[in-house]
């Protein structure tokens, strides 16, 4: 059983894109692979149900059907920080419940990818954030770096915070969210040198990035 916590240098940097590509990458090795979005904000209402784009993308990329209540335990409409969305909904996010959902999902799959909301310190409640959740799940972390000016700082801050949290950084992914980033290759070289984990791969800037597959030797090494 392999579980990884997917974090990013920020919100909107490609965590969902990378999660979907990894799901297909692990499936290419004959593994059952599913994702969980513990707390989803920015949901829309469809036929009276709260629907989240991340969760829909995960479902399309995963290869094992899983119950919605496990894959996406908390959904909120406003596209705001989860702790504010939960507060406005009068709901307290329970880490115990999230850990129990993850444990149940782990019985249904070979690989479980848990996509955080926002970045590493995005709040879940007034007392806990994504770091605390990742620690509770005790999952190795995969960092998605949104390749745009400013990402070097955010990447090192995130990697240092993961280490300070006592969790292993299993790898990182360079996601080209800005196709026009100046000196892309030089920035990538800097990240390869200073991030204390293997680069699992690069994701090109493409219209249907979430539909791609990330299957590199470094990805295969994660599940060796
Ligand atoms: N490599 C890429 N090429 C083209 N578009 C991309 C790429 N990566 C991300 N995007 C687009 O950028 C937006 C944000 O990506 P994504 O939803 O994966 O970010 P996220 O980090 O999961 O955000 P959140 O914090 O809301 O979960 C989406 O519209 C997505 O389609
Ligand atoms: C709505 C957005 N797409 C994400 N789901 C939530 C982003 C939380 C960001 C919290 C923060 O300001 O760091
Ligand atoms: Mg996402």
């Amino acid at each position: 059983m392999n579980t990884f916590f997917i974090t990013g240098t920020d919100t909107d940097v490609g965590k969902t894109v990378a999660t979907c590509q990894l799901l297909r990458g692990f499936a290419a090795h004959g593994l059952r692979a599913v994702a969980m979005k513990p707390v989803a904000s920015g949901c829309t209402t469809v036929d009276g149900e709260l629907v989240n784009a991340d969760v829909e993308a995960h479902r399309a990329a995963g290869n094992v059907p899983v119950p919605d209540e496990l894959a996406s335990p908390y959904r909120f409409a406003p596209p705001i920080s989860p702790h504010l969305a939960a507060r406005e909904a009068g709901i307290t996010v329970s880490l115990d419940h999230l850990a129990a959902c993850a444990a149940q999902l782990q019985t249904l799959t070979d690989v479980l990818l848990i996509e955080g909301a926002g970045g590493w310190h995005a709040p879940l409640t007034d007392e806990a954030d994504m770091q605390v959740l990742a620690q509770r799940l005790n999952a190795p972390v995969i960092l998605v770096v949104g390749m745009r000016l400013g990402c070097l700082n955010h990447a090192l801050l995130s990697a240092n915070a993961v280490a300070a949290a006592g969790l292993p950084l299993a790898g990182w992914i360079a996601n080209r969210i800005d196709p026009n980033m100046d000196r892309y290759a030089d920035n990538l070289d800097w990240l390869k040198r200073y991030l204390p984990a293997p680069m699992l791969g690069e994701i090109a800037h493409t219209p249907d990035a979430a539909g791609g597959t990330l299957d590199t030797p470094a990805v295969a090494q994660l599940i060796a």
Side-chain angles (χ1 to χ4, degrees), residues 11-17 19 37 52-55 58 115-118:
T11 184
D12 272 350
V13 293
K15 295 187 300 296
T16 299
V17 162
T19 297
K37 181 81 174 183
N52 178 259
D54 292 9
V55 178
H58 291 169
E115 180 189 341

Side-chain angles (χ1 to χ4, degrees), residues 10-12 37 39-42 54 78-82 117-119 121-123:
D10 200 349
T11 184
D12 272 350
K37 181 81 174 183
V39 181
S41 59
D54 292 9
I80 58 179
S81 178
H121 280 304

Side-chain angles (χ1 to χ4, degrees), residues 114-176:
I114 300 171
E115 180 189 341
W120 185 244
H121 280 304
L124 272 173
T125 69
D126 290 335
E127 290 78 35
D129 61 8
M130 292 299 150
Q131 173 177 291
V132 175
L133 174 60
Q135 288 172 312
R136 175 62 189 274
L137 299 170
N138 196 30
V141 178
I142 291 172
L143 173 63
V144 179
V145 180
M147 295 301 290
R148 62 187 176 202
L149 187 61
C151 70
L152 304 184
N153 170 54
H154 290 162
L156 263 293
L157 285 171
S158 300
N160 292 342
V162 169
L167 292 173
L169 183 62
W172 63 279
I173 293 168
N175 181 41
R176 300 202 64 167

